[in-house]
Amino acid sequence: MPLYRRLAEHYQGAIQAGTLVAGDRMPSVRDLMRQHQVSLSTALQTLRHMEEGGWLEARPRSGYFVRQPRRSAIRPVQEPKSLIAIDPAQYVGIHEKVSKYIAQRQASAPAIDLSGMTCAPELYAVDTLKQAAMRALRDRPELLTSAMPHNGNHTFRQAVARRALNAGMRIDADEVVVTHGCIEALNLALRAVAGPGDTIAVESPTYFGLLQALENLGMKALEIPTSPHTGISSEALELAVRTYGNIKAVVVVPNLQNPLGCIMPDASKDKLVRLCEELRLPLIEDDAYTELADGNAPPSSLKSRDRSGNVIYCASLNKVLAPGMRLGWMNGGRWHERVKMLKFTHTRANEEWTQVTAADFIASPGYDRHLRRLRQLLKEQRERMAESIAAYFPEGTRLNVPNGGVGMWVELPAQICSQQLFELALAEGVGVSPGAIFSNSNRYGHFLRICCGHPFTRELDQALRQLGRIGHMLAAG
Amino acid sequence: MPLYRRLAEHYQGAIQAGTLVAGDRMPSVRDLMRQHQVSLSTALQTLRHMEEGGWLEARPRSGYFVRQPRRSAIRPVQEPKSLIAIDPAQYVGIHEKVSKYIAQRQASAPAIDLSGMTCAPELYAVDTLKQAAMRALRDRPELLTSAMPHNGNHTFRQAVARRALNAGMRIDADEVVVTHGCIEALNLALRAVAGPGDTIAVESPTYFGLLQALENLGMKALEIPTSPHTGISSEALELAVRTYGNIKAVVVVPNLQNPLGCIMPDASKDKLVRLCEELRLPLIEDDAYTELADGNAPPSSLKSRDRSGNVIYCASLNKVLAPGMRLGWMNGGRWHERVKMLKFTHTRANEEWTQVTAADFIASPGYDRHLRRLRQLLKEQRERMAESIAAYFPEGTRLNVPNGGVGMWVELPAQICSQQLFELALAEGVGVSPGAIFSNSNRYGHFLRICCGHPFTRELDQALRQLGRIGHMLAAG
């Protein structure tokens, strides 16, 4: 990172921590040069970079001042109004809605696509991965033509098991099953503990891919009230289990929930894991984003609290390592043997070549460097986008700016139909995800999920301005 | 192919066609030199190669004579005794049986493993594939870090669509869904047309992977009597549909059926496709082996006869291109939209890098050269193994030597329990597949499936001798 950016970081951190507040005068160019022993050009670049990022404003003949972040005027998304889960009898099928959404998005191929949860390719270590891949091909070309070991390549399983160990999870390499992304892991986890006709508790809102998978497996999703700040409510879950019976499992994204972006506090995680143990309710943990949390101490997992094998842990390297490699892995807890068998009958083993390439990178010091850089870039992009949303979106918009990850959950004024906004934006070449696909109980019709995985550019800013304009138009009715 | 082998081929073909028969005198070294304009050493090598292959025997001072193939004394596997499908009420669960079999095989890791249906890595074009993979990495490294297009990489889909076209199937590139091997395609096909509790007609015997997949999907397999020479009986299928109702689909391997190795005659294929159309019974075609049929005109598919979208076509490149790449593809016929959606919710899209590598090779002239070589090697291995089986196995053994593919189906004398043989052989370091796992109606207890995907070596011959010895022991009781 160049010197001016490191210096900008230093002051931005102080603003975020509240050491410097809106209206405070920034050190002058001369001060910066003296205090930090930097050149005139570095000092100037630092101030301009912070101004461009919306952190400072220049006042003629007075210097730079810390700016009131526009998004400080924007309120957070509201808490759920009740702890009572909606009666599944009121549910609508999600398939058609999601299929229509995906088809529309694919057909339009928007120029600026903020609908997914994937980061731009340039955020990943493409050269390092390419070198690792070349090495794998040179050293072990026979991987291309040999039958694969069941459950995954040993070196890869060892590499992820070691990282899990550092995150407080004791999962040995031979207790890891490698999967095609997290979605296969979730499918296997669900099939391991439940069957057609069974009900599965999920967060509300939740990832549409999970709702779709459930519907395809003939299972019913019961949406549990979930705080946009502290995650799924254990009280609401307990109430639902006592009300509805026949709930066979609960699926939870404890860290950087999709779409909410929230991280459950440790106490809530403890409570949830203990509750599920007491109820003998299998707890399926979906972990795709933890390593993208801000800072260098990722939040803890539910699995690290598991004493009885009641937690099925499903992880993805898709967002973290590389979206083009589609690697996931899982540990089935006390259903692990059944998970292994289901994986075998489902897709057999994963290709070894990809795993060897990934293991090479994951076991190297470069991997943590990559993660630090990725987190930092995502944070910058997120902050910049939040500022633009605050500036352009209609009065009454609420926003959660999460402490990590790839998405933001935006609550629009209640009269705005986000499906309409989605369609109008698509016609202008901008893709977003409408809130309604994150629930099958007709909720979240005025919410949007916006991806912040792309570098903040003038075009991206322009796209957010367009979204804001459409929002204003729809708000006016 | 060296000259002596081409010359040997020439004469072996004549023996197979019956132009030369057992006891005929082969041309002498001098004759060969004159007639074919070859050197002394080539003529000698030709005769020695044919002798080693079991085609000729040397008689002192008289020259070489066409040998009575030992396997001509061995009779083919018997036809099913009845056209009536066994009542599914008599079925046993297959899971436990198959899981136990897989676990035993894995735990023993036999030195000579003839249990799978995978060819030895050296039978594939590892260098060509490695070069193609390197090229893909150099030209398009961003494939590693980019989100993938739904349903597969376009170039790959085009490459397989073109080959399908040459095989008489009109499937456009955008009607191809790329899958993780054929097993995922089968899972998707089954889920597209049927649900838990439904009955699916299958061949008897059939691939244990299919039985396992069905059981995991909560579906029931109805085993239809199948000729070891002409494949599934349309009469038996029709009878079963009229008897049982609630049959939602039929899964058929028309070419080089697993485990029988038979190829359905064209007339039987016509009849089956028309019958399923009449009955509105979805016909799922499992095509993993067609390109491994002897000769250079692969047998035709069921899909090429499909006029109404009633055939779901599932293909694998696993045995043909490379076992380490796990590529399959499918076309869902009139259920194609549903197949696409199920694939998305199941495992999302396949990695592009593997597909780009495969497409590079498949579209090159080297691919057909590779296939010709692979077919030829498999044929040689199969013939040599059949000779050894004929020599070593107990009296009363029956054998189908198929016209292509990777497996052989061996019928042992009825008093031999092949599960016992499997276990005893495993203890001696030899793996085979016991017949009982190819049915969930307690049939085929005295059958074996033996893989002929490995180069014929002294060790392999020795392993077959061991199997024969154990067979003799069990036959004696």
Side-chain angles (χ1 to χ4, degrees), chain A residues 148 187 207 216 345-346 348, chain B residues 187 207 216 345-346 348:
Chain A
M148 293 149 299
N187 271 280
Y207 174 40
N216 276 329
T345 68
H346 207 229
R348 298 285 180 273
Chain B
N187 271 279
Y207 175 40
N216 276 329
T345 68
H346 208 228
R348 299 283 181 274

Side-chain angles (χ1 to χ4, degrees), chain A residues 95 102 134 144-146 148 150 180 187 191 196 207 212 216 322-324 326 341 344-346 348-349 353, chain B residues 95 102 134 143-146 148 180 187 191 196 207 212 216 322-324 326 341 344-346 348-349 353:
Chain A
H95 259 330
I102 292 172
M134 293 271 197
L144 292 171
T145 53
S146 305
M148 293 149 299
H150 291 210
H180 295 293
N187 271 280
R191 290 174 66 184
Y207 174 40
Q212 226 185 358
N216 276 329
R326 281 218 60 74
M341 189 272 294
F344 180 78
T345 68
H346 207 229
R348 298 285 180 273
W353 172 86
Chain B
H95 260 330
I102 292 172
M134 292 272 196
L143 292 180
L144 292 172
T145 54
S146 305
M148 293 149 299
H180 294 292
N187 271 279
R191 289 174 66 183
Y207 175 40
Q212 227 185 355
N216 276 329
R326 282 220 57 76
M341 189 272 293
F344 180 79
T345 68
H346 208 228
R348 299 283 181 274
W353 172 85

Side-chain angles (χ1 to χ4, degrees), chain A residues 101-119:
Chain A
Y101 153 75
I102 292 172
Q104 284 178 311
R105 212 176 56 171
Q106 273 199 288
S108 313
I112 303 276
D113 191 359
L114 309 176
S115 66
M117 283 287 269
T118 311
C119 302

Side-chain angles (χ1 to χ4, degrees), chain A residues 411-470:
Chain A
E411 182 175 2
L412 299 166
Q415 73 269 33
I416 297 182
C417 165
S418 63
Q419 175 66 28
Q420 241 183 315
L421 192 149
F422 158 70
E423 286 170 15
L424 292 169
L426 212 52
E428 298 190 16
V430 181
V432 289
S433 289
I437 59 173
F438 298 94
S439 160
N440 60 5
S441 59
N442 277 329
R443 278 182 280 191
Y444 312 112
H446 62 295
F447 284 79
L448 285 180
R449 189 191 66 185
I450 296 184
C451 173
C452 40
H454 303 274
F456 191 85
T457 57
R458 186 185 298 266
E459 290 71 31
L460 183 48
D461 187 57
Q462 182 55 33
L464 293 170
R465 191 190 289 264
Q466 280 168 275
L467 291 177
R469 189 176 36 69
I470 299 170

Side-chain angles (χ1 to χ4, degrees), chain B residues 2 4 9 53-54 57 85 97 101 112 133 162 171 192 194 213 238 281-283 286 326 353 359 372 386 463:
Chain B
Y4 77 91
E9 277 290 301
E57 56 188 341
K97 213 186 266 183
Y101 153 75
I112 302 278
R162 281 188 186 148
I171 300 171
E238 191 169 3
L281 181 68
L283 173 51
D286 174 354
R326 282 220 57 76
W353 172 85
R372 281 194 295 273

